[in-house]
Amino acid sequence: MENFEKTLEEIHILTDRYVLFSEVCALPPDAEVELDLGCGKGGFTAAMAEAFPDRLILAADIMLGRMRKVRKKVVRKEASNVRYLRVDARYLMGICLPDRSIDRVHILCPDPWPKLRHRGHRLLCSDFLMPVNRVLKEGGIFHFATDDPEYMGAVVKLVEESGLFERAGPEAIADVAGFKTEFERDWLAEGKEVPHIAWRALKPVFTGAH
Ligand SMILES: C[S@@+](CC[C@H](N)C(=O)[O-])C[C@H]1O[C@@H](n2cnc3c(N)ncnc32)[C@H](O)[C@@H]1O
């Protein structure tokens, strides 16, 4: 059994106290690692876990109740390749995960905070792109989806002006195209479109200009 800061039914509860991720769970150097960030009830995580038993899937959400649901779903599928993290995405991505440790970061249907006065709550903002780039292996994939056209437009602009990513073709996420999150299923049932976009992480260039 791995060493955890605190565990509850195998859900690792990460607070903002400094902790080495390797003490929370092992990331085998040769394993493909997928991160479902803000995984919600875990339909996407569970589908990946079942389809790709050789990959390690990190399921992360700030809500413990959601993590319990994810775990139940995965256990029902008898998959053992998921690690459950009750954690704030900003802490996980900013501090906790090692550099260049993840093959793909999936951020699917995050809360769009559509009202102008709530925009500051959005997960995807300029400050968050460097942490996404930092945790991705070179050439790793950032996969994003939302039903909110304004949020999608804002994220595309931010990512593509950041110099940290280049647009990847649909083949970068083709293997998971059939897996739907709970929110995506709901939006599709309402007749909404949920576009998916993938970007490849570039090596950041620091110009040192001042
Ligand atoms: C709109 S739901 C989408 C869930 C899932 N990806 C889906 O598509 O069904 C957004 C999820 O992000 C989680 N979340 C929001 N802010 C977060 C944060 N700062 N860190 C981690 N998870 C967060 C919420 O608890 C919620 O489960």
Side-chain angles (χ1 to χ4, degrees):
M1 178 87 143
E2 295 142 339
N3 223 355
F4 312 124
E5 183 180 4
K6 189 171 166 197
T7 63
L8 191 68
E9 306 156 18
E10 291 177 19
I11 298 170
H12 313 330
I13 301 178
L14 303 182
T15 61
D16 56 2
R17 218 157 48 73
Y18 181 73
V19 58
L20 271 180
F21 195 78
S22 57
E23 290 173 8
V24 174
C25 79
L27 294 177
D30 48 350
E32 256 184 76
V33 184
E34 309 265 7
L35 169 62
D36 186 2
L37 189 60
C39 61
K41 294 178 190 163
F44 185 77
T45 283
M48 276 201 296
E50 187 177 33
F52 310 121
D54 296 343
R55 299 185 195 169
L56 181 66
I57 320 290
L58 303 181
D61 202 283
I62 201 163
M63 290 178 67
L64 182 58
R66 298 228 162 129
M67 292 316 306
R68 287 196 168 116
K69 288 195 172 125
V70 183
R71 188 174 165 275
K72 250 190 211 159
K73 251 184 211 135
V74 173
V75 167
R76 241 182 271 131
K77 290 184 184 287
E78 298 182 1
S80 58
N81 53 336
V82 178
R83 301 294 176 268
Y84 309 93
L85 309 170
R86 208 289 319 172
V87 66
D88 188 317
R90 293 180 185 90
Y91 168 62
L92 180 72
M93 305 295 279
I95 294 173
C96 201
L97 279 172
D99 292 352
R100 312 272 167 242
S101 53
I102 308 291
D103 289 273
R104 283 194 298 195
V105 173
H106 307 272
I107 304 183
L108 306 177
C109 303
D111 300 299
W113 297 103
K115 288 187 183 152
L116 200 54
R117 68 177 185 280
H118 293 152
R119 293 271 163 87
H121 297 303
R122 282 181 173 177
L123 188 58
L124 267 306
C125 59
S126 53
D127 284 356
F128 198 67
L129 296 183
M130 184 55 103
V132 175
N133 179 287
R134 180 187 74 78
V135 304
L136 280 171
K137 294 176 185 170
E138 202 178 331
I141 294 296
F142 167 32
H143 171 199
F144 177 72
T146 179
D147 69 299
D148 185 304
E150 194 281 329
Y151 196 14
M152 178 56 90
V155 171
V156 167
K157 189 168 185 303
L158 276 177
V159 174
E160 298 194 349
E161 289 178 357
S162 70
L164 297 171
F165 299 90
E166 66 182 9
R167 186 78 75 104
E171 68 285 353
I173 45 174
D175 59 336
V176 293
F179 306 156
K180 305 294 173 209
T181 70
E182 282 75 5
F183 269 76
E184 179 168 10
R185 266 182 237 146
D186 289 350
W187 298 140
L188 294 174
E190 283 183 22
K192 289 186 179 173
E193 284 184 20
V194 183
H196 288 245
I197 298 200
W199 292 277
R200 203 174 297 288
L202 298 170
K203 221 179 185 165
V205 177
F206 298 103
T207 61
H210 40 167

